[in-house]
Amino acid sequence: MSNLQPVKGGSKDQPGLRYPTSGKTIYHRPLNRTKASELSGSSFAYLFSEMVGYASKKIESIQDLEKRLNVQGHPIGLKLLDLLLYREPPRSQTRPLNIITLLHFIKINVWQHLFGRAADGLEKSSDPTKPDEYMIIDNEPLVNRYISVPKDMSQLNCAAYVAGIIEGVCDGSAFSARVTAHSVGKQEGEMWPGRTVFLVKFAPEVMEREGYLGKG
């Protein structure tokens, strides 16, 4: 702690802030410098478990807890979109212009950045009455690996946090959507017990715009 010192001048707008003697903070680092860095798994497990514990205070239902996790993940998705586009080559630094391009960006680029691999699947709803629904599939979500769910909350899926990140990426790309996480791996005989489907339901105005683009 010897390399830290109080801010000179003691500004009233920034009480108690301290900076390294070098004057440089994390905000001075180039965005591409830590492109390939990884976070310790144990550190992530601890931080995420604390986030879930904080979100679980004074909840009325499992849906309430999942909604809070979703809200926590949403701003991460907004910022992550800008970061990933910044790291793309100059010629490809454009936001996705249609639904399929956006979903492939999430399945590959976003998943690779967050979890070190692409998502396990991407499907469109087979129900002809629901053309606005798509599914991103993860056989073993990292966020569920270190979470012990009580028996009375067996329906809880903490991947709602990742659903919030996906929703943030969609909203930041001007493709408004509602994203929810659903556990489908608990069926008998399922190879992946933790299999989770992220259901992406796009807003009516997005589908209307997609139809116009398709006609063009």
Side-chain angles (χ1 to χ4, degrees):
M1 303 299 290
S2 60
N3 63 330
L4 298 176
Q5 63 181 12
V7 178
K8 296 181 180 180
S11 173
K12 295 182 179 180
D13 295 333
Q14 298 178 323
L17 289 180
R18 298 187 298 173
Y19 291 89
T21 53
S22 63
K24 294 184 177 181
T25 66
I26 189 174
Y27 300 106
H28 292 83
R29 298 179 185 175
L31 291 178
N32 283 326
R33 182 178 179 182
T34 56
K35 181 177 180 179
S37 65
E38 295 182 357
L39 177 67
S40 165
S42 58
S43 298
F44 170 79
Y46 174 76
L47 291 173
F48 188 69
S49 64
E50 288 297 308
M51 289 174 58
V52 174
Y54 179 79
S56 63
K57 295 181 180 178
K58 298 181 179 179
I59 58 171
E60 298 180 357
S61 64
I62 294 176
Q63 291 74 21
D64 190 17
L65 174 54
E66 290 183 342
K67 177 61 177 177
R68 292 186 182 183
L69 292 174
N70 184 287
V71 170
Q72 289 179 350
H74 189 272
I76 303 298
L78 290 173
K79 297 176 182 178
L80 183 59
L81 173 66
D82 289 334
L83 176 62
L84 293 180
L85 290 177
Y86 172 82
R87 288 177 173 171
E88 288 291 317
R91 292 184 179 180
S92 59
Q93 285 183 346
T94 57
R95 294 174 185 270
L97 300 179
N98 56 62
I99 289 177
I100 297 301
T101 304
L102 171 65
L103 293 176
H104 276 285
F105 176 81
I106 294 173
K107 176 182 181 292
I108 299 174
N109 298 59
V110 173
W111 241 256
Q112 184 69 38
H113 178 80
L114 293 176
F115 309 118
R117 59 176 177 81
D120 296 298
L122 173 62
E123 300 177 5
K124 183 177 181 179
S125 175
S126 58
D127 189 342
T129 64
K130 299 178 180 179
D132 56 347
E133 292 185 354
Y134 292 79
M135 293 166 283
I136 298 174
I137 303 169
D138 192 327
N139 290 333
E140 192 178 6
L142 178 65
V143 293
N144 290 343
R145 187 175 301 174
Y146 307 105
I147 298 295
S148 298
V149 180
K151 292 184 179 180
D152 59 335
M153 300 181 69
S154 60
Q155 299 301 315
L156 172 65
N157 192 329
C158 292
Y161 177 74
V162 179
I165 296 177
I166 298 173
E167 192 170 321
V169 173
C170 291
D171 290 347
S173 302
F175 287 83
S176 299
R178 179 77 178 95
V179 185
T180 52
H182 304 271
S183 300
V184 297
K186 297 181 181 180
Q187 302 174 4
E188 186 176 355
E190 174 62 49
M191 181 182 296
W192 302 97
R195 185 181 175 92
T196 295
V197 169
F198 298 93
L199 181 62
V200 185
K201 184 177 179 63
F202 290 99
E205 59 269 20
V206 173
M207 300 306 298
E208 182 178 0
R209 182 182 64 201
E210 194 79 1
Y212 283 124
L213 292 174
K215 293 179 182 178

